[in-house]
Amino acid sequence: MEKILEKIRKTLQKHPTCRIGLCGGKTPRPLYEKLAQCSLPWNRIQFIITDERYVKPNEENSNFHMINEALFSRIHPNPENLFIFNTFLSREEAVNKLQGQLEKLRRERSPLFDILILGMGKDGHIASLFPHSKALDSTWLVTTSETTQFDIRERLTLTYDALLDSDEVILLISGEEKKQILEKARQGNADFHDLPIRKILQNKEVRIYEL
């Protein structure tokens, strides 16, 4: 946590805002709850959610729902500083809207993320970039995705083009099975289409937290 806070404060010394990418799932919730207890100028921090299940934001399966409970409802960020997938829209409309917002952020300054927090699935997926998904080869910042491995099959996700545009990447790992997959991605020769996390590890210096 101290490393994250240090990075936020250093970024805010250089720029008007600090941009943080937030992943969904169960693993990051304790981190978000701890972050919510910190004293920070929250009105200067922008949050970008990395992916979303195509469900309404008040549903239990929603990444926004989890992040809102753990973090947003406690720090009350300015709505203009939240960059999320609007699942009241069609998936294509939601993609187009967030694409436009992120393009504007990119024009203002680079990188897109000052801090990117990622989790990883047992199949090596990150955000909603699943093995052999068409989303892996998207040239947009945002796209749709599908999976057959989970109950909520329709997804919205940031792409590699967005995720790799990060100054600092933090990867949260929990459980022995995920640790083994991570080691395979770090040491093996698997293609990123087989293990999507591999492309991040190949292109970015990643700070790994084993929980």
Side-chain angles (χ1 to χ4, degrees), residues 91-104:
R91 286 203 298 161
E92 291 72 20
E93 289 171 329
V95 163
N96 288 334
K97 181 176 181 180
L98 189 57
Q99 175 79 19
Q101 291 174 320
L102 298 188
E103 286 176 346
K104 183 175 184 294

Side-chain angles (χ1 to χ4, degrees), residues 3 6 22-23 37 64 67 73 78 82 99-100 121 125 134 136 138 149 151-152 160 164-165 169 179 185 189 192 203:
K3 292 288 186 181
E6 180 182 355
L22 301 176
C23 63
Q37 298 172 15
F64 173 82
I67 297 170
S73 64
N78 186 331
L82 301 184
Q99 175 79 19
H125 82 262
K134 292 180 181 179
L136 294 170
S138 174
Q149 303 302 312
D151 291 338
I152 309 300
Y160 282 130
L164 289 171
D165 193 10
V169 179
K179 292 176 185 177
N189 297 315
F192 72 88
N203 289 276

Side-chain angles (χ1 to χ4, degrees), residues 88-122:
F88 289 106
L89 303 174
S90 71
R91 286 203 298 161
E92 291 72 20
E93 289 171 329
V95 163
N96 288 334
K97 181 176 181 180
L98 189 57
Q99 175 79 19
Q101 291 174 320
L102 298 188
E103 286 176 346
K104 183 175 184 294
L105 288 181
R106 232 183 191 181
R107 287 194 297 269
E108 290 173 358
R109 71 174 174 90
S110 184
L112 180 60
F113 295 101
D114 298 302
I115 304 170
L116 174 63
I117 300 172
L118 289 177
M120 185 192 74
K122 294 178 182 179

Side-chain angles (χ1 to χ4, degrees), residues 28-207:
R29 181 168 188 140
L31 175 64
Y32 298 159
E33 291 173 343
K34 290 180 181 178
L35 188 61
Q37 298 172 15
C38 299
S39 177
L40 290 166
W42 295 113
N43 63 324
R44 295 179 59 195
I45 298 177
Q46 297 174 316
F47 297 99
I48 304 168
I49 294 182
T50 62
D51 71 307
E52 186 57 274
R53 292 125 179 192
Y54 191 55
V55 296
K56 296 301 183 286
N58 61 341
E59 294 185 29
E60 288 292 330
N61 284 319
S62 164
N63 283 336
F64 173 82
H65 179 77
M66 181 280 288
I67 297 170
N68 187 55
E69 280 193 342
L71 180 60
F72 296 158
S73 64
R74 305 180 189 201
I75 64 171
H76 308 292
N78 186 331
E80 293 181 356
N81 287 336
L82 301 184
F83 298 88
I84 64 176
F85 295 92
N86 185 345
T87 53
F88 289 106
L89 303 174
S90 71
R91 286 203 298 161
E92 291 72 20
E93 289 171 329
V95 163
N96 288 334
K97 181 176 181 180
L98 189 57
Q99 175 79 19
Q101 291 174 320
L102 298 188
E103 286 176 346
K104 183 175 184 294
L105 288 181
R106 232 183 191 181
R107 287 194 297 269
E108 290 173 358
R109 71 174 174 90
S110 184
L112 180 60
F113 295 101
D114 298 302
I115 304 170
L116 174 63
I117 300 172
L118 289 177
M120 185 192 74
K122 294 178 182 179
D123 58 357
H125 82 262
I126 51 169
S128 282
L129 297 175
F130 297 97
H132 305 290
S133 167
K134 292 180 181 179
L136 294 170
D137 297 308
S138 174
T139 58
W140 278 43
L141 297 172
V142 190
T143 191
T144 60
S145 180
E146 290 78 31
T147 177
T148 59
Q149 303 302 312
F150 300 93
D151 291 338
I152 309 300
R153 297 189 173 192
E154 293 184 318
R155 305 294 183 99
L156 300 155
T157 187
L158 300 191
T159 66
Y160 282 130
D161 193 34
L163 300 178
L164 289 171
D165 193 10
S166 307
D167 190 45
E168 182 163 327
V169 179
I170 295 170
L171 179 63
L172 306 178
I173 294 293
S174 64
E176 191 60 34
E177 189 173 358
K178 289 184 180 180
K179 292 176 185 177
Q180 291 176 5
I181 290 295
L182 177 62
E183 190 61 25
K184 180 179 178 181
R186 295 170 76 179
Q187 304 297 334
N189 297 315
D191 183 79
F192 72 88
H193 289 91
D194 299 313
L195 287 174
I197 184 60
R198 185 163 174 77
K199 189 161 186 174
I200 300 294
L201 297 172
Q202 287 177 319
N203 289 276
K204 303 297 295 186
E205 182 176 342
V206 178
R207 190 186 301 275

